Amino acid sequence: MHLIPEEHQMLSGEHGRATQKAMEILTALGTIYEAEEMVPVTSVQIAGVSFDNLGEAGLEFLSEMADGGGQARVLTTLNPAGMDIENWQALGIDPEFARNQERVIDAYARMGVVTTCSCTPYLFGNLPHFGEHIAWAESSAVCYANSVLGARTNREGGPSALAAALTGRTPRYGLHLSKNRQPGLTVRVDAGLSGTRAFGALGIVVGRAIEARQVKAIPYLRGIPTASVDELKSLCASVATYGGLAMFHIEGITPESSQHPAPDETLVVTQGDLDEAIRSLDVPTTNEEVDFVSLGCPHLSLNEIQRAAELLKGGHVRKTFWITTSRPVKRIADQMGYTEVIEEAGAIFAVDTCCVVAPIKGRFKRIATDSAKACYYAGAKNGFETRFLPFDEVIEEALK
Ligand code: F3S
């Protein structure tokens, strides 16, 4: 790989032990993927924050980097942690786990990372623009950055994202290169789409179709005239989960979609396909009652919290109901009075965390959610049964 003088200095240790280690990680990665050079990044989002995933070994690595003088050179935020950092007791988190999670957050803080923990950094100021090179790690956020914002990022692992933060660089390969952002399959959507569940269902159909191909292709979606931020974040989470996709194009929405002709090979998605995808996750009757309700995968926007407050006003929930969002969005919800309404109804804000990364295995049997991604992990990670419902009906389920 060709390195410029400053990068050589980082590699030789002139900028400290942590920066040296970071540059070693990036050059190794660049060599594996045959990158010719590094590219400066303007924004980083780090995954690998929950102590549940990191364990002692991960925490030791972070502490070493912090002790070695590592400092973030660009705006860097974190993915959800295993608990609400300020209010973990309300979520029934084990105190031992909380202590370890706090050590993780402390290590990131020492490195100058903004320790707000969210998978929707684009909703509160970590918002790259079209063409910017960034290094993000969380799969739904990566997909959103590439497909909706038109920024350029590969899906980073925890160590490579941290390394990008400490050096302000990432190897130029994969989705940083225009040639790798070209669509390879047209997806014609012959169905009306409305709401987060519908867009999540589309993500399941497209994701599974891509996953079944021998060679993965970036899909080029047609037939979606408009989509809200909330619908797009739902779609991104779903295609990343079910198809491992880091990017799609939507005609007229993805900033660079007009630069590419629609590929000839076409997949048609019908209402029947969407209904079948929904049925695969929504099992209305079993022996188990819904005992856990969660909204906020990906983390809720202010708009969604406002809607939740509207529907919960004056009611009382009868099941454990988590509203998961980022700390900055929650602060605005506090200011607007939405938090008070939601908490008076008995729902709980689970800020900085989510129903997937929090250690809740064994605590519930059946979850209701509007998120295709949450359904996937509820089954695969926690063994919960799922109800996959439209946003408003999730709230109705909580009130039943
Ligand atoms: Fe975000 Fe957790 Fe879902 S990280 S996308 S809320 S699994």
Side-chain angles (χ1 to χ4, degrees), residues 143-209:
C143 192
Y144 194 94
N146 283 311
S147 315
V148 180
L149 305 176
R152 297 185 169 210
T153 181
N154 291 315
R155 185 182 173 192
E156 301 294 341
S160 68
L162 177 61
L166 302 188
T167 60
R169 308 283 200 285
T170 196
R172 194 193 285 272
Y173 73 96
L175 292 172
H176 291 283
L177 301 171
S178 298
K179 65 174 185 181
N180 295 328
R181 299 174 68 87
Q182 289 174 11
L185 173 73
T186 296
V187 176
R188 204 179 79 219
V189 182
D190 276 358
L193 289 172
S194 174
T196 46
R197 183 182 71 162
F199 276 78
L202 175 63
I204 297 170
V205 175
V206 174
R208 284 177 178 162

Side-chain angles (χ1 to χ4, degrees), residues 100 110 114 122 149 185 196 215 284 288 316 323 350 360 364 376 389 391:
N100 285 322
R110 285 196 285 142
V114 179
Y122 46 87
L149 305 176
L185 173 73
T196 46
V215 181
E288 303 294 350
H316 194 76
I323 304 266
I360 54 172
F364 306 104
Y376 178 88
L389 301 171
F391 187 95

Side-chain angles (χ1 to χ4, degrees), residues 17-19 21-22 25 44-72 76-81 99-113 115 117 157-166:
R17 210 151 35 88
T19 311
K21 177 85 191 148
I25 291 170
V44 173
Q45 192 253 1
I46 296 178
V49 180
S50 173
F51 182 75
D52 209 21
N53 302 329
L54 279 174
E56 257 324 310
L59 178 54
E60 206 174 299
F61 169 73
L62 292 178
S63 302
E64 261 174 43
M65 296 300 263
D67 293 343
Q71 278 300 305
T76 302
T77 56
L78 294 175
N79 210 38
R99 262 191 303 281
N100 285 322
Q101 186 63 73
E102 278 164 359
R103 288 164 65 209
V104 171
I105 299 299
D106 178 59
Y108 282 122
R110 285 196 285 142
M111 289 187 273
V113 172
T115 54
C117 304
S160 68
L162 177 61
L166 302 188

Side-chain angles (χ1 to χ4, degrees), residues 79-80 119 138 140 237 296-299 324 353-357 373 377:
N79 210 38
C119 50
E138 201 283 318
S140 72
C297 174
H299 273 174
T324 66
T353 187
C354 75
C355 66
V356 172
V357 297
K373 177 174 180 175
Y377 285 104

